[in-house]
Amino acid sequence: MNSLAVYGRCGASLAACVLLLASGGTAVAADRAPAVAGAVAVAGVVTVPVGTLVSGMAVSPAGDKVYVTADGALKTVDTGTDTVTAQIPLANAESDYHQTVISPDGRRVYVVSGLVMNVVDTTTGTLLAAAPLPPQNKPAAWPTGRTHDIALSADGATVYVTQAGATGYNVPPIPPPGVPAETPGRVLTFSTAQNAFTGEVALPGSYAQSIALRPGGRDAYVAAGSGLVHLDTSGAPGAAPTVVGSVSNLRQAIRQAAFTPDGTHLFAVADSAANQVFPVDPATDAAQAPVTLAPVASAGLTGVSVSPNGTRLRTVRYDRDPRAVALVAFDTATYAPVPTETVPFTLDSVSDTAVSADSSTVYAFGWRNATRDTALQIVTR
């Protein structure tokens, strides 16, 4: 998902908190992250084999379960025993990309598997529904747009799914010169009461990446090719949002955005190699001048989140020489780096990161070249 999120801790012991998602094997000795000045050290790793193709992940509110999508199934990992205790086949299992979110009470897991919404009851371990996404309005031969992100409203009533527009470059019917060979991206709404898609809204342009829901508000912002698109989500549960407009002073593709916990500030990450974050005032929908968080020549940044107290902006940094991957933090008031909160990983690439609510535990999901497996690495401070 290329995102950073906040989850509760998953138990009191390291074994209950750590799992490595691998293609096979048994528990292994602790990994050690490379030494980084001022950084906290990796405490250890326990492995739980779950399969080969791993994409989505959701942690239960109590932290006693981790739900992962692997090999076309939603698998339940018990963090008390570090074992896979159940697996539920998903519809459209051949899809190799998924987006996963869990309800506030932990009783439902929603997984977009390709172009199908799967609804899983975690109490009974059953697939309650498999709802295909509504068809896109497009020429028949054009490939359907890919889904990119999923988000759940605070009340658990509405699931939002972003989907890129269909594209038809070199695919008949080929538009005349000057006419885009693409259709608009969209945001779909899924009613959790009806277990059905109930609305959608078209976006300006075909590019639709992540969606950020404003805490305590009825607004959402979608990362788009032209910047950030502001949506009004104040309708009834499951109702289609409406487009309010776009954030001004922001005329480039955005990969992801994250709110402060109080909903008063928004930070947008540019979809480029400039390592820039744009502060956005949601009261005026205006972006401020970009802030460069790391030198372009030495690092790349991906993902963004804000600490529960609103004082830290977190992102994953890739250093090229020497090669290293770490979660880094910046002061949200000054944008100054906070080296003592750097968390190094032994992974070669990281696609998703989460931080516990008390900031004591960091989860990193990614890939290791040496062993050719995917892993969820847990770092305890």
Side-chain angles (χ1 to χ4, degrees):
M1 293 187 291
N2 292 328
S3 62
L4 292 162
V6 176
Y7 296 121
R9 295 191 69 181
C10 57
S13 68
L14 178 65
C17 247
V18 180
L19 57 123
L20 178 68
L21 304 182
S23 58
T26 56
V28 298
D31 273 343
R32 296 296 173 187
V36 176
V40 298
V42 173
V45 175
V46 173
T47 64
V48 178
V50 297
T52 55
L53 296 176
V54 181
S55 4
M57 178 194 72
V59 182
S60 67
D64 59 337
K65 300 288 191 298
V66 176
Y67 301 94
V68 297
T69 53
D71 303 327
L74 182 72
K75 300 187 179 185
T76 304
V77 177
D78 186 314
T79 59
T81 62
D82 301 314
T83 57
V84 176
T85 56
Q87 55 181 340
I88 303 165
L90 299 173
N92 199 26
E94 69 276 7
S95 172
D96 62 352
Y97 57 95
H98 307 81
Q99 296 85 41
T100 308
V101 70
I102 192 167
S103 63
D105 61 7
R107 298 181 61 187
R108 298 285 187 273
V109 173
Y110 301 91
V111 182
V112 175
S113 177
L115 300 175
V116 177
M117 173 71 82
N118 296 265
V119 182
V120 175
D121 185 328
T122 61
T123 59
T124 62
T126 56
L127 181 65
L128 296 181
L133 272 66
Q136 283 186 317
N137 183 15
K138 66 178 183 64
W142 287 17
T144 301
R146 176 172 174 169
T147 54
H148 279 282
D149 198 14
I150 186 172
L152 183 63
S153 60
D155 60 7
T158 306
V159 183
Y160 298 90
V161 178
T162 63
Q163 184 182 16
T167 56
Y169 298 100
N170 300 319
V171 178
I174 299 176
V179 177
E182 56 190 25
T183 64
R186 61 180 180 172
V187 174
L188 298 158
T189 53
F190 183 88
S191 168
T192 60
Q194 303 177 46
N195 279 340
F197 286 98
T198 50
E200 67 176 85
V201 61
L203 301 171
S206 66
Y207 184 100
Q209 288 282 324
S210 67
I211 182 170
L213 304 182
R214 187 176 186 180
R218 302 304 299 269
D219 302 281
Y221 288 78
V222 179
S226 58
L228 283 176
V229 179
H230 180 184
L231 302 180
D232 180 351
T233 60
S234 61
T242 58
V243 175
V244 176
S246 296
V247 171
S248 62
N249 305 325
L250 199 59
R251 294 293 182 265
Q252 61 180 293
I254 296 298
R255 183 189 308 121
Q256 190 183 6
F259 273 100
T260 54
D262 60 7
T264 60
H265 294 83
L266 180 65
F267 299 95
V269 176
D271 192 10
S272 68
N275 298 335
Q276 292 180 329
V277 170
F278 293 81
V280 175
D281 182 356
T284 61
D285 272 357
Q288 302 171 16
V291 178
T292 300
L293 297 181
V296 176
S298 62
L301 301 178
T302 181
V304 63
S305 72
V306 182
S307 63
N309 61 12
T311 65
R312 296 291 184 265
L313 184 66
R314 295 165 173 156
T315 183
V316 175
R317 187 184 71 201
Y318 289 84
D319 290 334
R320 298 185 180 94
D321 187 19
R323 293 180 61 86
V325 184
L327 181 72
V328 293
F330 300 86
D331 189 296
T332 54
T334 64
Y335 302 106
V338 186
T340 56
E341 295 186 19
T342 296
V343 181
F345 306 121
T346 61
L347 302 171
D348 294 287
S349 65
V350 172
S351 61
D352 202 1
T353 307
V355 182
S356 63
D358 62 1
S359 299
S360 65
T361 307
V362 178
Y363 308 72
F365 174 77
W367 177 260
R368 300 189 303 176
N369 293 334
T371 52
R372 300 188 62 80
D373 61 15
T374 53
L376 177 63
Q377 186 172 81
I378 310 301
V379 180
T380 54
R381 297 176 186 269

